[in-house]
Amino acid sequence: MRYFLLSFFLGVFTLPTPLAAETGDDAWLRYAPVDVAMRGRYDRLPAYVAALGDSVVIKSAQAELIRGVRGMLGRTLRAERDLPRGSAIVLGTFAGVQAARLAIRLPTGLREDGYWLKTITLNGFPCLLITAPNDRGVLYGVFALSRRIGLGEAVSQLDEQQAPYAPIRWVNEWNNLDGTIERGYAGPSLFFEKDDVVEDLSRARDYARLLASVGINGCVVNNVNANPRVIRAEFLPQLARLAAAFRPWGVRLGVSIDLGSPKIIGGLDTFDPLDPRVANWWKEKFDEIYRVIPDLGGVVVKADSEGRLGPSTYGRTHADAANVLARALRPHGGLIFYRAFVYDHHLDWRNLKNDRARAAYDNFHSLDGQFDDNAVVQIKNGPIDFQVREPASPLFGGLEKTNQAIELQITQEYTGQQRHLCFLVPMWKAVLDIDMHAQGAGTPVKALVAGKTFRRPVGGFVAVSNVGRDPTWLGHHLAMANLYGFGGLAWNPDLSARRIGEEWTRLTFGHDLRVVETIANILLQSWPTYEKYTGPLGAGTLTDILGSHYGPGIESSEENGWGQWHRADHDGIGMDRTVATGTGYIGQYRPPVAGLYESRANCPDELLLFMHHVLYTYVLHSGKTVIQHIYDSHYEGAEQAERFVGQWRSLRGRIDEPRYRQVLARLEYQAGHAQVWRDAVCNWFLRKSGIHDAKGRVGHFPNRLEAESAELEGYQIEEVKPWEAASGGKAVECLSSAPPCVASFRYEGKPGWRDVSVQYFDQNNGASRFKLFVAGQLVDEWVADDALPSRRMGADSSTRRKTKGLALRPGDEIRIEGFPDAGESAPIDYLEIRPTARGVPGVSLGERIPRQ
Amino acid sequence: MRYFLLSFFLGVFTLPTPLAAETGDDAWLRYAPVDVAMRGRYDRLPAYVAALGDSVVIKSAQAELIRGVRGMLGRTLRAERDLPRGSAIVLGTFAGVQAARLAIRLPTGLREDGYWLKTITLNGFPCLLITAPNDRGVLYGVFALSRRIGLGEAVSQLDEQQAPYAPIRWVNEWNNLDGTIERGYAGPSLFFEKDDVVEDLSRARDYARLLASVGINGCVVNNVNANPRVIRAEFLPQLARLAAAFRPWGVRLGVSIDLGSPKIIGGLDTFDPLDPRVANWWKEKFDEIYRVIPDLGGVVVKADSEGRLGPSTYGRTHADAANVLARALRPHGGLIFYRAFVYDHHLDWRNLKNDRARAAYDNFHSLDGQFDDNAVVQIKNGPIDFQVREPASPLFGGLEKTNQAIELQITQEYTGQQRHLCFLVPMWKAVLDIDMHAQGAGTPVKALVAGKTFRRPVGGFVAVSNVGRDPTWLGHHLAMANLYGFGGLAWNPDLSARRIGEEWTRLTFGHDLRVVETIANILLQSWPTYEKYTGPLGAGTLTDILGSHYGPGIESSEENGWGQWHRADHDGIGMDRTVATGTGYIGQYRPPVAGLYESRANCPDELLLFMHHVLYTYVLHSGKTVIQHIYDSHYEGAEQAERFVGQWRSLRGRIDEPRYRQVLARLEYQAGHAQVWRDAVCNWFLRKSGIHDAKGRVGHFPNRLEAESAELEGYQIEEVKPWEAASGGKAVECLSSAPPCVASFRYEGKPGWRDVSVQYFDQNNGASRFKLFVAGQLVDEWVADDALPSRRMGADSSTRRKTKGLALRPGDEIRIEGFPDAGESAPIDYLEIRPTARGVPGVSLGERIPRQ
């Protein structure tokens, strides 16, 4: 697995590249034809591919190489089982190479899943050997070779050894047996449907292939909120089908289980982990499972968390619970992943000493050393829950004699749900690189979780992926950079985010230099941008934490037991987590880290509100007050989101049209929704603090005409809750029995070409229609049929339609007709009118041209 | 209607242009966004479009301009009914301009359908006036303005008058009421379905819009082999719906009628045109029709032709027949188009003096002066029937007191049926420009048909279009250049073919210079290329004239009464049409023309075999013998067809992918089928003449392995008829009860990368499957599911699959497995193996990559 870039190749890649319409199905494994200018470089590629040994993984490797070379070079390699009399690519494990008596000195010390690409001479013919300690390594070697060709790199004189940073490189899929996916944003499950495993597993196989190509070797298919049925005897043959779909790609199946299973499905009257009957039940259950799936990778357990059963029922520890499973799994080589995401979600919010962030450390630190060697504590990157910015969980530095894995989230639960672009690799790296000082300096999170610091037998990286049946896998073509990037970091966390972003872009969109640079830049700016217009200074994603976790909902985190408090009031904001005056959370870090956070003066700005409660007038390192930072960052973020649209548009004609359009539509939506975020957050803080924006923007919208101030026929004015979710706190709804309803505005600006944006609410319970008229002339019409995550008018459903290039003159009537549908009442928030840019393309995606 | 090109703009058009996926629906009216570099040029375009008058055509013109500007410039013009106080584009007829009291001096002498684009100042505002004698002219002016913008031309200082060359600019559609189309190659009818007019006429409206955009003003919707029902009283409301669909676009409806109608549907016992009851019946019928369709353009009649009823039943003349209709139509302003395509299709082929080519002149020349003034004799361009090469019909020069129109054929009946590319504008121009010396020199066909030479009241251009429901309209994106070109020539026959080709390409595919030049070059070479590999030296398209009129079938024209004879025997080939020794056909031309053709020495090579019978050893002006010309031209043509593929491939990434692929697939198919043509014709003449190819190619196929020589399991050897339709005269069919059948070949060439083509038969009665193996490895598989025009093995169904980039070594088994389906028996003709080009893209369209 190599991730690097030869910049001196850039020049030749700017020739026109093929622009076949693409769905995204093949993600970065498109095997697009290599540019003409580069193709000669591979003329001497051997014509044979010999596979030594016949494991299903080696067979996949051989077929994959044939597929890749056919796609990229238009040639069909000859599949051989023995060494041919000719130049060949030879695939085999070390054992296979030895059995074939090849005169090769194999490397020593290459770890499992690592590989060696080596140009050699066999029987007088130049050959390319791809070998590895195990067959999965050979498969990874094949993907590495294909990637080299895909990146236009030479393959003629190779001697390259690669091995993964950590043995655990897993994904978790929160799929329910009914086919839904908890926090999944790309359609239904690949694995389950109507409480069974799906008939057609071709998409599951394709997914395993994608995972293998970035070195991921385990996949837990069902939700951590597990249905106990998944390990019932009658379900096991179905699980076995999934395992068989993954097996050719070296991906081991994992399942989430319910700790209460011995009682719920086992017929016992207890699930007490220390009860010998329970231990025996688990032993027999795993013996039974492994008879059907001999290579099951392991299980994941969420216990005593958010209502799940756990050892606390019997006064037992998490180690007790993990170990009863570990012992049943050990004879089969299985792992138990025990999630550290354990907290009380009925915390008393009135008590300023209470702190959910403390929970993982409080629950697990004292158990260090009590977990068996095949148990792994799976720890979310931050102490809360995948917020846009969190510090590293102190638990990473708090376990020395316990295996650990970091749990990251590819599915963007709190980071825009794949409707907003948020390339998470920089965020993940920020956590992985934090030195926890667990054994003096030099113990970054990545080394701890990989087991390097304390020489643990296993450890590594887990990510919640939640791909779905959408052809794009994650719902946004660019979101796939996160899946690719997770694989890259799990293999080598020292890779830079830019390198990963550029490599992924080349494989996904080709080598056009403008495409590569533009997309990589957009990717790298996307997380900081999202952070700016959502949750500032470590206060968390200021979203509706009680529902969708999507749009702004500033107060939803307060005055309830979930503990995602930011404690904003009239005077200030932030959680005091200091040892001196706060919850004491900071004391969970080792002293050098705790010292940094404890001091308000030293604490980095981006985590200030996570660690401290400060006044709005507190001055940051940046020299700005907290309140002005909130205003400025939200305006900057929304402007940056708008710029992404223009940057993406500059790629028109350089990317195949279907993917160009899908991404453009998402970025245009994001630009609009970033303004919803900006306005909600800024207006809320303005009202709460009473402190005005030094730049005079917040609360002033000179280009905006509120629907509640329009002349209305049929439309009626409604309060939107929370108030910050709508401009002016109000919107209009068409509840009339005689639609359409009409909102009529009067344009009083200067005459000229204008773009008119209609901010409306697109709920998920109907498909309202809208018509836009200027001076009686129909100029646009559209249907509100997006699938935004709300049935209500609010920040989740607020969206916009921009109609460009309208000639307006003072006194013009701008009329909107709304046609409700199925409970969606064609609601409108406001109109925004801005000058049309000169000489700029006007017709954009989704702006259908009515045929008059 | 202007067709010109400003070459100094070319430079700026090479910026990347948008590549939105396109279906072809909008043809050249795509209104694609104007390139950024050009857009500033239109910043000062007025914001208003004022329509003076409210005819449906003026309304269309206004809406069309709004649509065009919105698409190309992203701005929505303000639709006004009166002059606004601002800069405006003003649309109106002369009458409208006068009624609005604009201070404009209108031009005199501008003919109907002509227009004037004029920059003026109104009320102090700069305005652009689009005016015309009639509303159709205003519409044409709007299309001219939009085309200017589409071509990137300036629109700021205009003063342009344009008028059409001839008043008749019609298309005929040979649509049957059941929805089929005679000689239609692009799906079912836009107009009819199940003996009724279709419910949804949106596609018919779109077609009328396309027609209007190139100045076509009449459309006959039903087959000239007319179903009498079309003018039954109960059907008229349906026709009226069609007329209403066309009306906003200034396209007048026409219908084909059956001359026997008075008897068949009228209840009379005769249809004798001189019987007063018949005359009265027609009068009443047209009075009835015009009550429902007040603007019916006229009717078309095919009589005494190919089994149709005609005046000969009663010993009456064609003039009698035409005039009875003309008199009934005259009060309503309707035209009668009387087709000159009258001939005896039971001619005695044994009589060498018989000649179908004489028929039109023989039947109509003597009637000159007897046709009423609203009757038009509609004459096919050549004396036979739309062959790849014919001289101009002598009848054009033989009518002085009769209105005439030329009948061209857009649908490629004898020129590849839109599976082969054949840009017909050069062929049409070759005929239109022939000087018939009808009144001394200077009477080219175009002037005669337009009525200019003899100052006829009407005349012009008709083309058989036969568009269908296929999104491409004609089945091949590039074939639309013929529809565009027909409109262009009917408006101005002096336009060059290159100008038309380049302009169409720019509007259809954008302004990328490489795209424009490549496509224009392909277009311009396509007719000569098609001629080369089909019918040489004026012998006619050597196709199966008894059936599909598609693939080669050299003997089908002989020894039957249809009269498309080429008279090829063991010694020579050609129809002797001289006055001296032949059929006397040449005597139908005026002396200067006849003198050219009568002399074998003067007769142009390309018409030699049309005019003369010569020995195969006869030496042409080119210095080649006839037989060597036949061989050489067929090899040249097939090679050129192959080059088209490479030229088209060079546009990958410069054209949107769906259209790129559709055209590529057709060109690849054409390249293969050109070889079928080449081999059939060359082999046939070799066997007939016994004269070998001086270059040693004909009959020698060193890279070919015949299926009948393979090792067969299940497959059995069959004779193909005619023998020249298959390589070696034989093929293999899988009639086994236990498919698949297997044909196994042994490769004995040198080792290396090879492309393997499988020549097989894809009949239209099933979808056989094929698998291709090399040394036991599956390397390709495909389904024979093209819709070629035959149920039999033969030249019509012969096609190929090319699998590129296979590594072969001597002794390799190449195995084809065939899986028959529904009467199609997976038949194979041969295998052809050629070296793979180095550094050339290998994966092409349709070459699906099996996932191993």
Side-chain angles (χ1 to χ4, degrees), chain B residues 638-659:
Chain B
E639 280 157 23
Q640 184 60 48
E642 184 94 40
R643 277 195 290 275
F644 288 159
V645 176
Q647 287 162 7
W648 186 261
R649 278 183 186 278
S650 77
L651 304 182
R652 189 165 188 194
R654 292 171 179 267
I655 288 176
D656 64 292
E657 191 71 9
R659 293 190 298 168

Side-chain angles (χ1 to χ4, degrees), chain A residues 16-21 26 33 36 39-40 43 45-48 63 66-67 70-71 73-80 84-85 206 514 652-654 657 661 753 774-775 777-780 804-809 812 836-843 849-852, chain B residues 16-21 26 33 36 39-40 43 45-48 63 66-67 70-71 73-80 84-85 206 514 652-654 657 661 753 774-775 777-780 804-809 812 836-843 849-852:
Chain A
T17 46
L19 292 175
D26 287 327
V36 172
R39 216 168 281 137
D43 273 348
L45 198 72
Y48 299 98
I66 292 171
R67 178 176 173 179
R70 180 149 41 189
L73 304 175
R75 303 190 162 194
T76 302
L77 298 176
R78 291 270 294 250
E80 301 284 337
R85 279 178 305 131
D206 288 348
R514 202 201 298 179
R652 190 165 188 195
R654 294 172 178 266
E657 192 71 10
R661 284 183 174 252
W753 293 103
V774 170
Q777 179 179 356
L778 177 67
V779 294
D780 202 2
K804 295 188 179 179
L806 298 174
L808 297 186
R809 59 183 173 191
D812 273 343
T836 300
R838 287 212 148 196
V840 161
V843 173
I849 300 168
R851 303 198 173 184
Q852 301 198 345
Chain B
T17 47
L19 292 176
D26 288 325
V36 172
R39 214 166 283 136
D43 273 348
L45 198 72
Y48 299 99
I66 291 171
R67 179 175 172 178
R70 180 147 43 186
L73 304 176
R75 299 187 167 198
T76 301
L77 297 177
R78 292 272 293 249
E80 301 285 336
R85 280 178 302 132
D206 288 348
R514 201 200 300 177
R652 189 165 188 194
R654 292 171 179 267
E657 191 71 9
R661 283 181 175 253
W753 292 104
V774 170
Q777 180 179 354
L778 177 68
V779 295
D780 202 2
K804 293 187 180 180
L806 298 175
L808 298 187
R809 61 182 169 189
D812 273 343
T836 300
R838 288 210 148 200
V840 159
V843 175
I849 299 167
R851 304 201 171 182
Q852 305 197 340

Side-chain angles (χ1 to χ4, degrees), chain B residues 51-273:
Chain B
L52 310 176
D54 56 3
S55 84
V56 292
V57 176
I58 296 283
K59 286 213 172 94
S60 291
Q62 187 182 38
E64 185 68 21
L65 191 59
I66 291 171
R67 179 175 172 178
V69 169
R70 180 147 43 186
M72 294 185 287
L73 304 176
R75 299 187 167 198
T76 301
L77 297 177
R78 292 272 293 249
E80 301 285 336
R81 299 196 46 163
D82 303 304
L83 276 193
R85 280 178 302 132
S87 181
I89 300 168
V90 180
L91 315 180
T93 59
F94 288 177
V97 167
Q98 281 156 349
R101 300 175 186 279
L102 303 193
I104 303 293
R105 191 192 192 91
L106 293 170
T108 54
L110 188 58
R111 289 192 299 283
E112 280 243 317
D113 296 358
Y115 56 82
W116 186 34
L117 303 186
K118 173 68 176 160
T119 303
I120 56 175
T121 299
L122 290 176
N123 303 326
F125 297 104
C127 287
L128 173 56
L129 177 66
I130 302 180
T131 187
N134 57 346
D135 55 7
R136 195 187 289 126
V138 175
L139 176 63
Y140 293 167
V142 159
F143 278 117
L145 178 66
S146 295
R147 184 161 47 238
R148 275 189 162 276
I149 298 173
L151 292 172
E153 297 168 9
V155 297
S156 51
Q157 283 302 327
L158 293 180
D159 184 2
E160 176 188 333
Q161 285 185 37
Q162 287 273 332
Y165 188 82
I168 293 173
R169 303 177 307 279
W170 283 47
V171 285
N172 287 184
E173 311 290 337
W174 291 351
N175 291 18
N176 298 312
L177 301 198
D178 65 3
T180 60
I181 302 178
E182 184 168 332
R183 307 295 173 192
Y185 308 109
S189 170
L190 314 184
F191 311 126
F192 305 108
E193 184 175 53
K194 296 179 184 166
D195 293 320
D196 283 313
V197 169
V198 298
E199 270 305 304
D200 177 5
L201 286 174
S202 57
R203 191 115 175 114
R205 276 188 286 272
D206 288 348
Y207 184 49
R209 173 174 167 259
L210 279 182
L211 294 178
S213 75
V214 292
I216 295 171
N217 60 2
C219 177
V220 178
V221 289
N222 63 316
N223 194 348
V224 291
N225 294 319
N227 184 333
R229 179 168 179 249
V230 75
I231 53 168
R232 272 185 189 273
E234 73 271 17
F235 201 78
L236 296 181
Q238 301 209 45
L239 279 188
R241 288 181 53 236
L242 275 172
F246 291 172
R247 194 169 289 122
W249 301 104
V251 175
R252 294 174 78 177
L253 180 75
V255 287
S256 298
I257 59 170
D258 187 317
L259 206 65
S261 296
K263 187 170 174 185
I264 303 170
I265 65 167
L268 303 186
D269 57 4
T270 178
F271 61 93
D272 178 356

Side-chain angles (χ1 to χ4, degrees), chain A residues 407-487:
Chain A
E407 182 180 303
L408 303 169
Q409 205 186 36
I410 292 167
T411 192
Q412 297 168 224
E413 176 178 353
Y414 282 96
T415 49
Q417 305 189 353
Q418 285 101 286
R419 297 184 163 278
H420 294 241
L421 178 64
C422 196
F423 180 51
L424 296 164
V425 167
M427 176 173 121
W428 295 335
K429 281 184 68 71
V431 170
L432 290 170
D433 288 343
I434 290 177
D435 190 342
M436 301 299 282
H437 292 267
Q439 202 182 42
T443 62
V445 171
K446 57 192 172 192
L448 288 162
V449 299
K452 291 183 188 292
T453 308
F454 296 108
R455 302 177 175 275
R456 299 299 314 163
V458 292
F461 301 81
V462 174
V464 181
S465 169
N466 291 1
V467 294
R469 293 204 163 265
D470 188 276
T472 64
W473 296 98
L474 283 169
H476 191 317
H477 287 292
L478 301 189
M480 287 296 274
N482 287 325
L483 180 55
Y484 186 86
F486 169 70

